[in-house]
């Protein structure tokens, strides 16, 4: 992606923070902090992605994650931690979970994937919204009535155009996108 995308690195280990910063500084606008409290102070509109350690003294990463969402900060969160995932992660609102050690390539690939998701989310939401309306109309109204409706034709045209213009890339590289595409495709019956 670009250096315009803001990444906040949160880890209590200075060596880890510096290593991650070196790996990412060429590609993103990077800031680093070494505590949960400092992370919350550093949050702002500039943050697109937060790389968040779970196990830190003082405020743990889990609590930082909760506070990020309580504040309504519009960013993606990647848990980057030595804590192996367990069932406790089911209720946590993060976007990705990486277990240390992680390479610079892993960090960049994850951040890029999340930034692509962010960009696609608005398009996908509109596709789903329009698709839901079409599916409802097609399930409840007769074919002849739909064929006579200019409003239905416009909605159908918008849906087809959105599907054509929305580039999802290689969905096999991102399970989120793969599932989204499957859900969009299942939304509508085949056009007759």
């Amino acid at each position: 992606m670009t250096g315009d995308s803001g990444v906040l690195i949160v880890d209590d280990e200075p060596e880890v923070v510096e290593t991650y910063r070196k790996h990412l500084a060429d590609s993103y606008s990077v800031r680093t902090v070494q505590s949960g409290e400092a992370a919350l102070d550093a949050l702002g509109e500039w943050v697109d992605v937060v790389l968040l350690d779970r196990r830190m003294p003082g405020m743990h990463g889990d609590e930082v994650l909760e506070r990020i969402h309580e504040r309504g900060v519009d960013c993606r969160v990647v848990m980057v931690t030595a804590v192996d995932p367990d069932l406790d992660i089911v209720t946590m609102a993060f976007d990705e979970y990486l277990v240390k050690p992680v390479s610079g390539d892993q960090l960049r690939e994850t951040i890029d994937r999340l930034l692509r998701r962010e960009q696609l989310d608005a398009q996908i939401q509109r596709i789903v919204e329009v698709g839901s309306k079409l599916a409802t109309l097609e399930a409840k109204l007769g074919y002849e009535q739909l064929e006579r409706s200019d409003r239905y034709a416009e909605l159908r045209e918008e849906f087809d155009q959105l599907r054509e213009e929305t580039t999802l890339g290689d969905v096999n590289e991102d399970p989120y996108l793969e599932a989204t595409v499957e859900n969009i495709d299942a939304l509508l019956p085949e056009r007759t």
Side-chain angles (χ1 to χ4, degrees):
M1 290 290 167
T2 70
D4 295 339
S5 299
V7 176
L8 176 62
I9 301 168
V10 185
D11 198 300
D12 62 308
E13 298 179 45
E15 310 82 42
V16 171
V17 168
E18 184 57 21
T19 299
Y20 291 176
R21 188 196 63 72
K22 285 180 182 178
H23 284 302
L24 301 174
D26 290 348
S27 303
Y28 316 99
S29 175
V30 176
R31 293 187 193 170
T32 64
V33 295
Q34 295 180 7
S35 72
E37 293 85 358
L40 294 174
D41 289 342
L43 285 174
E45 289 184 19
W46 70 273
V47 178
D48 296 300
V49 177
V50 176
L51 302 180
L52 180 60
D53 187 22
R54 282 187 80 180
R55 197 179 290 158
M56 296 183 290
M59 186 181 297
H60 287 257
D62 297 11
E63 185 178 348
V64 174
L65 178 65
E66 287 177 24
R67 296 236 184 129
I68 288 171
H69 290 288
E70 285 172 3
R71 290 183 180 185
V73 178
D74 185 23
C75 66
R76 301 289 183 162
V77 179
V78 181
M79 301 304 282
V80 186
T81 178
V83 179
D84 285 324
D86 201 344
L87 289 174
D88 65 333
I89 70 167
V90 171
T91 59
M92 296 172 65
F94 57 81
D95 296 283
E96 294 273 347
Y97 196 99
L98 301 176
V99 178
K100 294 177 183 177
V102 295
S103 69
D105 288 342
Q106 281 179 290
L107 291 173
R108 278 189 300 280
E109 288 167 8
T110 300
I111 292 167
D112 287 347
R113 185 171 52 250
L114 292 177
L115 292 172
R116 280 192 305 273
R117 281 185 198 171
E118 185 72 29
Q119 185 178 25
L120 286 171
D121 276 352
Q123 293 170 305
I124 290 169
Q125 286 174 8
R126 183 62 184 158
I127 289 171
V128 171
E129 179 183 328
V130 172
S132 294
K133 290 177 184 177
L134 287 171
T136 300
L137 292 171
E138 290 171 359
K140 299 295 180 186
L141 301 178
Y143 175 76
E144 290 176 8
Q145 186 178 2
L146 293 175
E147 284 298 309
R148 290 191 310 264
S149 171
D150 290 339
R151 294 171 99 184
Y152 172 79
E154 290 168 5
L155 196 61
R156 185 53 155 179
E157 186 176 316
E158 180 183 358
F159 180 83
D160 293 342
Q161 185 174 354
L162 284 166
R163 281 290 306 220
E164 187 176 311
E165 292 174 354
T166 303
T167 305
L168 297 174
D170 186 358
V171 296
N172 296 320
E173 292 179 7
D174 189 341
Y176 167 85
L177 291 180
E178 187 175 1
T180 300
V181 170
E182 288 174 9
N183 287 332
I184 289 170
D185 288 341
L187 191 59
L188 287 177
E190 286 296 317
R191 198 169 180 181
T192 54

